[in-house]
Amino acid sequence: MILVTTAGKVGAEAARLLARRMEPVRLLVRNPQKATASTQPGVELVLGDLNARETIDAAMQGVSGVILVSPADPAHEIDVIDSAVRAGVSHIVKVTSKASADSPIARRRDQAAIEDRLIASGLGHTLLRNNAYMQNFLMLAPAIRKTSSFGSAAGDGRIGMIDSRDVAAVAAEIAASPASHTGKTYWPSGPAGLTYAEAAEELSKALGRTIDYRPLSFEEQKQDMIDAGLPAHIAQMNTQAVSLFARGDSDWVTDDVPSILGRPAGTFRQFVMDHSAVFA
Ligand SMILES: NC(=O)c1ccc[n+]([C@@H]2O[C@H](COP(=O)([O-])OP(=O)(O)OC[C@H]3O[C@@H](n4cnc5c(N)ncnc54)[C@H](OP(=O)(O)O)[C@@H]3O)[C@@H](O)[C@H]2O)c1
């Protein structure tokens, strides 16, 4: 049995893919109404909350592998790791980012603390240090729909953006067959680096109307995120990450997705086509 720890973009898709290949899979959800729509028969939904240790322990019964994905609160993820040790789990796939103990971004320091704890646990593990998700553009969709433009503090930085569905596919593949991936760190990315101006061109082509990109200052970007409903501390971390794009921080591409999945990574063009109704 493979436990997937949350039912967000990556977790729900990973659970769906595991069920499709007939792997026993359990998805921890705190809001089953949201999760049901994104899963399919074969996914066992278990009601829980990463804030409540007893629900993690209950979900961990009979589990051999875990896909550890969440908003990366160290208290939550470390509880999952400790629970997995107690339950005799053999392997954890950890969805992470450019983790670093001395990063200016709190989330990356948190990811580093979780990674350290996972490594110290002695459990078999694989780290997926993913590049930025294409799905971050879905947060810009309301502005694109309303104004045919979007702003960002990403400057002219090139980003090896990955479709989060590929992150899910890589996590599912490794969870189903961990042997050759144990102890490894991967850096999954999309197939090519893209600037936000180039992303605007792709959106224009797919939507049949001009979509403009407006460079924003740090403060303008942060305010935009707060106006879109993000809590201030999340807006701060996300704005820091976007501002680092401008300095080339995410200008990297690897062949981890094709080498693990045996097919090319999804393109930004495909991502936009698949979500055109959201942007139109
Ligand atoms: N976005 C990027 O560009 C990017 C890049 C690299 C790595 N990452 C990493 O990807 C991870 C996020 O994955 P994602 O995009 O799949 O997340 P997501 O789509 O934002 O979904 C988060 C999920 O976690 C659930 N959740 C939150 N708190 C919970 C709790 N206490 N108990 C149970 N469930 C809880 C949410 O449930 P509700 O629906 O009920 O809120 C939601 O289903 C983070 O570790 C991040 O660092 C992101």
Side-chain angles (χ1 to χ4, degrees):
M1 173 68 77
I2 295 164
L3 173 68
V4 183
T5 58
T6 57
K9 292 184 290 298
V10 171
E13 175 66 2
R16 191 186 69 80
L17 292 172
L18 285 165
R20 204 174 65 179
R21 55 198 280 174
M22 309 304 282
E23 294 286 343
V25 56
R26 184 178 291 159
L27 181 62
L28 186 138
V29 297
R30 66 172 176 183
N31 186 345
Q33 269 131 3
K34 263 199 217 169
T36 312
S38 57
T39 58
Q40 67 169 32
V43 178
E44 181 191 325
L45 294 183
V46 57
L47 196 58
D49 191 313
L50 297 178
N51 276 313
R53 279 190 196 146
E54 67 284 4
T55 66
I56 300 173
D57 283 342
M60 201 66 74
Q61 293 313 304
V63 164
S64 55
V66 173
I67 295 178
L68 178 52
V69 56
S70 85
D73 177 333
H76 292 166
E77 294 209 8
I78 287 169
D79 277 349
V80 173
I81 294 165
D82 291 349
S83 177
V85 170
R86 287 193 296 275
V89 164
S90 52
H91 185 267
I92 292 188
V93 184
K94 158 78 182 127
V95 174
T96 177
S97 59
K98 204 170 182 182
S100 158
D102 56 9
S103 172
I105 304 176
R107 189 189 293 115
R108 292 184 180 181
R109 297 194 298 274
D110 288 346
Q111 293 283 29
I114 297 163
E115 289 185 5
D116 287 350
R117 182 61 166 257
L118 177 56
I119 293 163
S121 74
L123 290 170
H125 62 270
T126 306
L127 303 179
L128 302 183
R129 287 185 168 176
N130 306 292
N131 210 326
Y133 298 167
M134 293 175 187
Q135 275 71 4
N136 295 338
F137 270 81
L138 297 176
M139 285 184 273
L140 303 172
I144 292 170
R145 279 200 305 270
K146 248 194 257 165
T147 66
S148 289
S149 71
F150 63 91
S152 170
D156 299 326
R158 205 163 275 286
I159 307 139
M161 275 182 269
I162 182 168
D163 191 316
S164 67
R165 293 172 295 183
D166 282 344
V167 176
V170 167
E173 172 62 31
I174 295 173
S177 305
S180 61
H181 304 291
T182 298
K184 294 196 176 157
T185 297
Y186 295 108
W187 293 83
S189 75
L194 203 70
T195 64
Y196 269 43
E198 289 165 350
E201 282 169 28
E202 289 291 347
L203 283 158
S204 303
K205 274 187 220 153
L207 301 176
R209 64 182 206 277
T210 303
I211 307 296
D212 289 318
Y213 164 52
R214 290 173 288 106
L216 298 181
S217 68
F218 186 98
E219 284 310 323
E220 288 168 334
Q221 171 78 84
K222 186 173 165 187
Q223 193 56 49
D224 259 21
M225 291 188 183
I226 291 170
D227 292 346
L230 287 188
H233 72 286
I234 306 274
Q236 170 74 16
M237 288 191 286
N238 289 358
T239 303
Q240 285 174 309
V242 169
S243 302
L244 285 177
F245 292 164
R247 294 196 248 146
D249 181 69
S250 292
D251 187 5
W252 51 270
V253 165
T254 68
D255 66 357
D256 284 345
V257 171
S259 65
I260 293 167
L261 297 181
R263 58 142 175 98
T267 61
F268 188 74
R269 181 167 300 178
Q270 188 64 50
F271 161 77
V272 173
M273 277 168 15
D274 292 346
H275 296 84
S276 57
V278 182
F279 295 111

